[in-house]
Amino acid sequence: MKTAAKLKFGEKAFINYIDESHPSFRRIIEIGFTPGQEIELISSSIFNDPLAFSLRGTMIAIRKNEAESIILS
């Protein structure tokens, strides 16, 4: 099971589902991380937190623990 937090720089993948038990589940969905959406890791900080993803033509940064709740296919 690969998560968005495990993507390598420039790697693309499709979102399979979001872990509903994560406290930020609603926020993650509301900012555009929805199942079926393609995402690409485009930037990260020195300690890989936060991580910046490209999706829907924009860049969105989320915390690493939030990215771990995004399960990829």
Side-chain angles (χ1 to χ4, degrees):
M1 180 168 70
K2 187 169 186 173
T3 67
K6 303 289 185 192
L7 282 178
K8 298 184 183 341
F9 181 75
E11 186 179 11
K12 295 179 181 179
F14 287 94
I15 298 172
N16 191 13
Y17 69 95
I18 311 296
D19 180 7
E20 295 178 6
S21 65
H22 192 279
S24 298
F25 170 74
R26 286 185 179 255
R27 179 182 172 275
I28 293 168
I29 294 287
E30 289 172 355
I31 61 176
F33 290 90
T34 55
Q37 183 64 46
E38 185 180 45
I39 62 172
E40 176 184 4
L41 179 64
I42 58 172
S43 183
S44 64
S45 67
I46 191 164
F47 296 112
N48 289 329
D49 193 14
L51 301 168
F53 296 92
S54 172
L55 73 154
R56 302 176 195 258
T58 189
M59 181 176 78
I60 298 176
I62 59 174
R63 295 178 183 188
K64 186 176 181 181
N65 71 356
E66 293 171 332
E68 289 172 349
S69 70
I70 301 170
I71 312 303
L72 307 175
S73 55

